[in-house]
Amino acid sequence: MAAMLVGQPPSGEVAPHTNQSLPYTALNFLGALRPDITKSTPSIPLTLKPVTYLHGEPRVIWYEEEVEQMIIKENLQYAILGKFSYGWPEIQELRSLIPKQCNLKGECKIGLLSNRYVLIRASLLEDYVSLLSKPMFYITHKGWSYPMRTLKWDPLFDPEEETTTAIAWISFLELPPNFFVKEVVFSLASAVGKPLQVDMATKNQSRPSCARVKVEVDLLSDFSKRIKIGVRKQITGDVVEK
């Protein structure tokens, strides 16, 4: 049994350094930062690290698990970058404008990260998904409208490099309706990207023809067009695929 994947990339997404729009078949999961790391990562203590030297330069090395703990401690699980390319209001103004004009449901902390970039620390997954799902927001202030692109924050963020992570809907065609359970759809979607939410028709059981799920993906990676699913027999242990 195989579920066919049909994808819809964010409108107008263009591969960096090219002029061509990316088809959905070029999507896959970056896997750099999981929005649910608070639940999935056990707490480990952060300790002082020794300074080592490479070619005469000092450096300090941490493990990925420790970096995830840093992200949790600094409330960066749902962090978003707001990029202003054509000017922006004062940061004090943005702290009140962005939550209202972007319709954020939960609390958030906003600060200037670097030239043109503000860091938005959302507190809700719903706001994280909402901010990344729209390619552009327009922040209005005193008669001016400032376009703000929203990008996924990365622990190794470099303002000189364009992120290739985005939000996209994917659909599972020919999937039997008993597999429309959220945990099942998320399991299938994890082969493509980081699953974030199913759509209302899937949740309300009103469209048995296909299941749709929103995922966080890397626009430059490859992924399979089909995902095989099977059932393991309880008595024999055999896996039956169709």
Side-chain angles (χ1 to χ4, degrees), residues 49-186:
K49 296 291 184 179
V51 177
T52 60
Y53 292 85
L54 180 65
H55 305 304
E57 290 186 345
R59 66 174 184 169
V60 182
I61 305 297
W62 280 271
Y63 289 102
E64 288 184 349
E65 294 82 359
E66 294 174 311
V67 173
E68 291 186 347
Q69 286 301 312
M70 299 174 196
I71 292 171
I72 294 172
K73 288 181 179 293
E74 293 300 317
N75 299 315
L76 292 164
Q77 301 96 313
Y78 305 128
I80 298 291
L81 293 173
K83 181 179 180 181
F84 293 89
S85 298
Y86 307 101
W88 57 91
E90 294 291 336
I91 189 62
Q92 293 84 356
E93 301 290 345
L94 288 175
R95 289 187 176 118
S96 61
L97 294 172
I98 289 177
K100 293 178 182 178
Q101 298 185 18
C102 296
N103 297 316
L104 302 186
K105 307 299 183 183
E107 296 181 358
C108 69
K109 296 181 179 179
I110 300 173
L112 184 63
L113 182 62
S114 66
N115 185 35
R116 298 186 300 163
Y117 289 93
V118 295
L119 180 64
I120 306 170
R121 303 182 201 225
S123 59
L124 298 178
L125 175 60
E126 178 183 356
D127 290 337
Y128 174 86
V129 175
S130 177
L131 285 169
L132 285 180
S133 297
K134 191 174 180 179
M136 187 81 71
F137 290 88
Y138 291 90
I139 307 301
T140 58
H141 180 58
K142 294 182 178 180
W144 292 87
S145 182
Y146 302 91
M148 180 186 76
R149 287 183 59 201
T150 50
L151 309 168
K152 174 185 167 65
W153 171 81
D154 185 270
L156 299 179
F157 165 70
D158 184 348
E160 301 301 323
E161 295 182 3
E162 190 75 10
T163 179
T164 61
T165 305
I167 299 293
W169 284 102
I170 61 173
S171 298
F172 292 97
L173 305 178
E174 302 178 7
L175 183 67
N178 57 294
F179 288 97
F180 279 37
V181 180
K182 176 183 175 181
E183 290 78 8
V184 176
V185 175
F186 271 34

Side-chain angles (χ1 to χ4, degrees), residues 213-228:
V213 57
K214 185 174 287 188
V215 295
E216 183 179 297
V217 293
D218 181 3
L219 296 170
L220 296 184
S221 297
D222 297 323
F223 77 103
S224 301
K225 295 181 179 180
R226 299 170 69 90
I227 301 176
K228 287 189 175 182

